[in-house]
Amino acid sequence: MEIRTRFAPSPTGYMHIGNLRTALYEYLIAKSQGGKFILRIEDTDQGRLVEGATEIIYNTMKMTGLHHDEGPDIGGAYGPYVQSERMGMYMEYAKELVEKGEAYYCFCTKERLESLKESNGDGAAFAKYDRHCYHLSKEEVQAKLDAGEDFVIRQKMPDEGTTTFSDVVYGDITVENKELDDQILMKADGFPTYNFANVVDDHLMEITHVVRGSEYLSSTPKYNLLYQAFGWDAPVYVHLPAVMRDAHNKLSKRHGDKSFEDLVREGYLVEAIVNYIALLGWSPSDNTEIFTLKELEEKFDIAGLSKSPSIFDIKKLTWMNGEYMKAMEFEKFYALAESKLKEALAETQLDLRKIAALLKKRLETLNDIPHLVEFFKELPEYGTKLYTHKKMKTDDAIALSSLQAAIPVLEEMTEWNETAIHDRLIALVGELGIKNGQLLWPVRTALSGEPTSPGGAIELADILGKEESIRRLKKGVELLSN
């Protein structure tokens, strides 16, 4: 049997982390077993649709490399792949259930349904539908339909017994049927509910594995009963625990938690985001942490899924992002960094490639670039305390004498590159009889004006050039002399 999974988002806004994780796991379940990954747009809740949200879905899938085998934009044998384009079939399937006695027409008004809540004691609590319309005769139902009264179609739940379903993550789950409400299948506007369209489409598209958040566990008995009512085989269920902000709160955009788009804008690499999200609920057997998407396809095993909620740790993602940049080929890294370097160092003639080479092994995110390189454009104001460094064995006096010795040596140089600068400064260290750091730390400090910098004295001097380097060293002498 071919494995077929589907990512079925609703176009209601940004792509949050939980959504992307679901898409990733569905993709990996299919690809790890040579199956098909399908994209379906579920837009039956017309009131919540957000303009441009569908494009966000397409763009995210493209950026992350989660390429679908079938979908609205590429077609396939089971289309259409947008629910609003499949409208004709849902009512027919609902009517089939009515004919079987598994569903019924309901003509109750909103006011009557609200009164059920009011009669439920505290008023705010949910009240099960009382099946008022279930007891209407066929003639009464037909008369109301002929009169054009608004209606919904409800699923008839069993009155007794239990429903059991098996989930890959949570095992067997059993519920009392008497606890299940007669859910609406077709709404008054003629659109199917999410729960109903979901089941019909999954069956017709031959979906074998349904992956979704654990918040849908309570709805799954109803799905199973729908499959039974139609006489269809239910899919394999894979419910995922929540992604949490902390031990008590789920990730939420309302509370400032990041979406996929936010993370990309903040300078995180797409590959690192996907890698990190893969580990939010799944553990490889060998405890490896860094994976390419291709490696995830090869290594992913559904048995590694956890039932424990995962906490989204931005520090862990930041670490992983840095590891990705360190390992990245330079040309690929430079292509990502170039625009930020040009923006930060506009109107300078500095060698951006040399600066990028210094940054590559020091960055955590691409958005760190501007503040890390701004000293190249303009020397910041700084105090003499930066020259004191216990490990380098420097203080103001040592720094002053070292800079005073370095300036004439550098002024005499006719060739200006890293090798030449290195050889001359190291020779000067020997002539002065001091430690390397007692010369190089003051020079680095004078060139950058920062407590730390992406690169040492020799690299900075090479990039800044002879004239600017000597100007900054002289400013350091002036500062230390006052």
Side-chain angles (χ1 to χ4, degrees):
M1 179 184 68
E2 181 182 64
I3 302 300
R4 290 176 59 84
T5 65
R6 80 331 186 239
F7 179 47
S10 298
T12 55
Y14 66 95
M15 179 74 76
H16 62 70
I17 297 303
N19 262 2
L20 183 55
R21 183 186 65 166
T22 298
L24 176 60
Y25 285 176
E26 287 169 323
Y27 174 87
L28 293 175
I29 288 170
K31 295 305 176 182
S32 65
Q33 301 181 65
K36 293 288 197 318
F37 173 59
I38 292 91
L39 175 63
R40 185 173 76 223
I41 303 297
E42 300 198 337
D43 61 347
T44 57
D45 193 346
Q46 296 286 294
R48 296 180 60 231
L49 302 186
V50 173
E51 186 176 353
T54 301
E55 289 309 310
I56 289 176
I57 294 167
Y58 288 138
N59 190 46
T60 301
M61 304 296 277
K62 182 179 179 180
M63 289 177 67
T64 55
L66 304 184
H67 302 303
H68 45 283
D69 300 290
E70 302 168 24
D73 52 339
I74 60 176
Y78 298 85
Y81 294 89
V82 178
Q83 281 187 336
S84 59
E85 297 174 11
R86 301 168 64 85
M87 282 298 296
M89 68 180 72
Y90 300 117
M91 183 62 78
E92 294 307 311
Y93 278 103
K95 288 180 178 178
E96 178 183 330
L97 291 181
V98 172
E99 290 298 317
K100 289 182 172 183
E102 300 286 354
Y104 58 94
Y105 290 96
C106 175
F107 301 92
C108 290
T109 63
K110 289 181 179 179
E111 290 75 20
R112 183 177 188 282
L113 295 176
E114 285 298 319
S115 72
L116 292 180
K117 294 181 182 180
E118 293 171 5
S119 64
N120 197 39
D122 58 15
F126 172 74
K128 285 178 63 177
Y129 179 62
D130 62 359
R131 292 186 174 169
H132 173 76
C133 291
Y134 175 68
H135 302 290
L136 295 174
S137 67
K138 285 187 177 181
E139 292 74 20
E140 288 174 308
V141 169
Q142 192 59 52
K144 288 179 178 292
L145 291 175
D146 292 342
E149 289 191 29
D150 289 339
F151 67 87
V152 300
I153 295 180
R154 290 181 180 272
Q155 181 181 2
K156 167 66 169 64
M157 296 298 176
D159 296 311
E160 54 188 32
T162 60
T163 295
T164 299
F165 68 94
S166 181
D167 181 78
V168 168
V169 177
Y170 291 90
D172 289 343
I173 296 177
T174 300
V175 298
E176 297 286 335
N177 289 332
K178 64 183 179 181
E179 300 297 324
L180 302 176
D181 188 43
D182 288 359
Q183 68 174 342
I184 293 173
L185 305 180
M186 297 296 298
K187 297 180 287 188
D189 60 6
F191 276 80
T193 59
Y194 167 82
N195 289 342
F196 185 54
N198 193 274
V199 167
V200 172
D201 288 341
D202 284 345
H203 170 73
L204 295 179
M205 293 182 181
E206 299 186 7
I207 301 302
T208 62
H209 290 64
V210 170
V211 184
R212 56 188 170 222
S214 58
E215 65 270 23
Y216 290 103
L217 278 170
S218 61
S219 300
T220 303
K222 299 177 183 181
Y223 300 149
N224 252 30
L225 288 168
L226 277 175
Y227 281 105
Q228 290 175 22
F230 281 117
W232 299 339
D233 291 333
V236 175
Y237 295 115
V238 185
H239 287 86
L240 306 174
V243 180
M244 310 291 286
R245 182 191 332 128
D246 52 43
H248 305 290
N249 299 286
K250 292 174 64 175
L251 282 183
S252 168
K253 183 74 169 177
R254 293 196 309 274
H255 296 114
D257 295 314
K258 306 291 192 296
S259 68
F260 169 73
E261 295 92 335
D262 291 332
L263 292 172
V264 173
R265 279 193 294 269
E266 292 181 9
Y268 290 91
L269 304 178
V270 171
E271 298 94 326
I273 298 171
V274 171
N275 187 160
Y276 179 65
I277 288 176
L279 301 176
L280 291 176
W282 172 74
S283 299
S285 57
D286 59 2
N287 294 319
T288 302
E289 290 190 300
I290 305 296
F291 292 97
T292 64
L293 183 58
K294 186 66 178 175
E295 289 168 340
L296 283 170
E297 292 175 24
E298 295 168 356
K299 292 274 191 178
F300 188 82
D301 182 351
I302 201 168
L305 293 173
S306 169
K307 67 173 63 174
S308 301
S310 301
I311 294 179
F312 185 86
D313 184 352
I314 193 69
K315 291 182 180 178
K316 181 66 176 288
L317 172 59
T318 302
W319 166 81
M320 186 172 285
N321 201 63
E323 293 300 302
Y324 264 82
M325 285 190 282
K326 288 175 187 175
M328 188 177 289
E329 292 182 1
F330 178 76
E331 292 302 329
K332 182 177 180 181
F333 171 75
Y334 185 69
L336 294 170
E338 184 179 18
S339 62
K340 293 185 181 295
L341 285 168
K342 285 182 175 179
E343 184 178 351
L345 300 174
E347 301 173 8
T348 72
Q349 301 300 313
L350 300 174
D351 189 328
L352 301 185
R353 293 178 69 85
K354 285 185 177 181
I355 295 173
L358 293 182
L359 292 170
K360 186 172 178 292
K361 293 190 180 298
R362 294 169 171 84
L363 284 180
E364 291 187 322
T365 75
L366 292 171
N367 282 14
D368 294 337
I369 290 175
H371 77 264
L372 286 176
V373 302
E374 58 189 0
F375 75 86
F376 280 111
K377 186 173 183 179
E378 184 176 354
L379 186 67
E381 295 293 329
Y382 68 96
T384 59
K385 66 179 182 179
L386 292 185
Y387 286 102
T388 298
H389 195 292
K390 187 175 181 180
K391 184 178 179 181
M392 299 296 178
K393 303 186 185 309
T394 66
D395 55 25
D396 288 3
I398 293 171
L400 178 59
S401 64
S402 292
L403 293 181
Q404 288 173 329
I407 291 172
V409 166
L410 296 175
E411 285 179 326
E412 292 172 0
M413 290 180 61
T414 56
E415 185 181 8
W416 193 268
N417 56 52
E418 275 194 39
T419 301
I421 296 166
H422 171 272
D423 292 348
R424 195 62 195 91
L425 288 181
I426 295 303
L428 180 58
V429 167
E431 293 166 18
L432 297 174
I434 60 177
K435 302 285 187 182
N436 285 0
Q438 291 177 304
L439 175 65
L440 298 181
W441 180 262
V443 170
R444 187 215 65 82
T445 301
L447 293 177
S448 69
E450 298 283 3
T452 61
S453 59
I458 295 163
E459 296 95 336
L460 299 187
D462 174 49
I463 291 169
L464 288 167
K466 181 177 179 180
E467 182 180 344
E468 178 64 13
S469 294
I470 292 171
R471 186 188 74 81
R472 293 187 179 200
L473 294 179
K474 288 181 176 178
K475 186 167 183 179
V477 168
E478 181 183 343
L479 179 67
L480 288 163
S481 299
N482 293 331

